[in-house]
Amino acid sequence: MVSATFRRSTTTLVAAGLLAVGLVACGSGEDDAADPGKPNDKVITVYSGRNEQLIKPLLDKFSQQTGIKVQTRYATTAQLAAQLVEEGDKSPADVFLAQDAGALGTVAKKGMFATLPEAATGKVAEAYRARSGQWVGVSARSRVLVYNADQVTTDQLPTSVFDLTGPTWKGKVAIAPTNASFQAFVTAIRVQHGDQKAKDFLAGLKANEPQIRDNNIKIVEEVNDGKVAVGLVNHYYLGEIAKEQGTTPEAMKAKLHFFPGGDTGALVNVAGVGVLKRSTEDADAKAFVDYLLGAEAQQYFAEETFEYPVVTGVPGPAYVPPLADLKVPAIDLNDLDTLEATVAMITESGLVP
């Protein structure tokens, strides 16, 4: 089980991280990559924006089954994307395993990814992979409103995330404005409605005296404890906290509200993977992508991290609606690649302490 506290400490993304390439060399990976290797040498170098405690058990299973050694460099997804761009064709990386679609899109725009085989990308719905075929999602997560069932009844829940700037929710909404998932959500508002709508929303939140927290885990814990009425988070945190507390999500006071009707508050983002061009013909890199889209890895994401599998036939967590039933906004994940502008906008709004 991945510690929610550990996830909390590693998912926060700050603007400086986009440019802090030097920090990557000090990452936590025990197998920091250096040797670019050769195709089909039974060794691949993976730049992983997913934290080590989360993903290493899965990488170990891959190595055990295939005999392919995985050299891993860990850092935040934004740091690794920046490092890949800086390294260019001199990068030792074979594969980029990213926490969100925006970072994959940033690297793809630089022309650094190979086109993945249709046999791999075709396993995943078009909404969760690149139009160009240069990256593919391996797991998905939905933005939700977590609420305390003793303080908010279902008929009081908002129909749109934009309702949270209204007087009904004054002082009752918790957010984590420095968290990557909040930033991706604000980017989604910019993509779907334009920059002015995003600025107005952030100004409305600020004026409504939100409860500012460092991360999503803290928000879900406080909502469950009745300290805050509602909060904007990703869906999987409730599953993580319930498991850590030895209970079930259904038994928690905290409940999840999925915004209806394609509202931006129901954004579904993905963690995904791309293969660097230097490894286009590397069967080892191809095997890695195939493994992440296989039944074992997909089941791992559903059962260990409470994310949505993206391959048909593998059920998601039982406490949330099926991915296919979610009414997601009409947003192309390829367009979530302007994170720096979003971070600047959030900072200017005054929501960052």
Side-chain angles (χ1 to χ4, degrees):
M1 170 62 190
V2 178
S3 162
T5 301
F6 185 85
R7 179 193 289 269
R8 172 175 54 196
S9 68
T10 54
T11 55
T12 298
L13 175 66
V14 295
L18 293 169
L19 302 176
V21 176
L23 294 176
V24 178
C26 301
S28 60
E30 62 182 22
D31 296 322
D32 272 1
D35 182 3
K38 299 178 181 178
N40 310 316
D41 60 357
K42 291 293 183 182
V43 179
I44 58 171
T45 296
V46 175
Y47 280 15
S48 176
R50 310 216 69 178
N51 75 59
E52 184 174 5
Q53 188 172 346
L54 166 70
I55 203 69
K56 191 173 187 302
L58 193 61
L59 302 187
D60 289 345
K61 289 182 178 181
F62 167 73
S63 293
Q64 291 165 6
Q65 292 185 18
T66 64
I68 299 171
K69 179 181 178 181
V70 179
Q71 298 181 144
T72 313
R73 178 169 293 177
Y74 293 103
T76 70
T77 288
Q79 287 171 343
L80 290 170
Q83 177 146 355
L84 283 167
V85 170
E86 181 172 290
E87 292 174 340
D89 59 10
K90 295 181 180 178
S91 175
D94 297 299
V95 176
F96 182 28
L97 179 57
Q99 180 74 11
D100 76 275
L104 290 163
T106 297
V107 177
K109 275 188 173 180
K110 297 295 182 179
M112 297 180 65
F113 282 149
T115 300
L116 297 172
E118 172 62 25
T121 58
K123 296 178 180 177
V124 178
E126 290 184 1
Y128 306 125
R129 53 184 163 98
R131 290 187 297 270
S132 63
Q134 294 186 337
W135 60 262
V136 63
V138 298
S139 62
R141 77 295 301 270
S142 177
R143 293 293 290 174
V144 295
L145 185 74
V146 61
Y147 66 98
N148 185 292
D150 287 342
Q151 298 184 27
V152 181
T153 59
T154 55
D155 63 329
Q156 294 174 323
L157 291 169
T159 57
S160 169
V161 72
F162 297 104
D163 294 342
L164 296 176
T165 61
T168 300
W169 302 102
K170 190 177 184 66
K172 297 179 179 179
V173 183
I175 60 173
T178 60
N179 189 271
S181 59
F182 183 85
Q183 294 164 347
F185 155 64
V186 174
T187 303
I189 296 177
R190 295 177 51 229
V191 170
Q192 189 174 25
H193 300 287
D195 282 3
Q196 190 57 54
K197 181 78 169 182
K199 289 180 180 177
D200 291 345
F201 174 70
L202 294 172
L205 277 181
K206 174 66 175 176
N208 230 15
E209 302 176 4
Q211 302 294 313
I212 304 297
R213 299 294 182 267
D214 291 337
N215 52 69
N216 291 322
I217 288 288
K218 188 70 173 177
I219 291 173
V220 176
E221 288 175 341
E222 292 196 10
V223 168
N224 191 59
D225 293 341
K227 296 177 182 176
V228 182
V230 301
L232 288 172
V233 297
N234 286 342
H235 81 272
Y236 50 75
Y237 291 103
L238 185 62
E240 288 187 4
I241 293 174
K243 190 167 185 177
E244 284 193 355
Q245 294 184 1
T247 184
T248 65
E250 292 83 358
M252 304 273 286
K253 289 293 185 183
K255 306 295 181 186
L256 301 184
H257 172 54
F258 292 78
F259 288 101
D263 189 78
T264 320
L267 173 70
V268 172
N269 202 344
V270 296
V273 66
V275 173
L276 278 296
K277 277 188 173 177
R278 63 176 292 272
S279 303
T280 301
E281 304 301 327
D282 191 340
D284 301 334
K286 177 180 181 299
F288 183 70
V289 174
D290 289 341
Y291 179 78
L292 293 177
L293 295 173
E296 182 172 80
Q298 292 293 297
Q299 188 173 358
Y300 177 90
F301 291 129
E303 296 180 354
E304 298 298 327
T305 70
F306 302 98
E307 295 171 284
Y308 282 108
V310 293
V311 174
T312 302
V314 182
Y319 71 93
V320 292
L323 180 61
D325 290 353
L326 301 184
K327 306 302 181 186
V328 301
I331 294 173
D332 189 333
L333 297 183
N334 293 277
D335 295 333
L336 300 181
D337 57 358
T338 56
L339 181 58
E340 286 180 277
T342 296
V343 171
M345 186 181 290
I346 294 172
T347 302
E348 290 170 2
S349 75
L351 287 170
V352 178

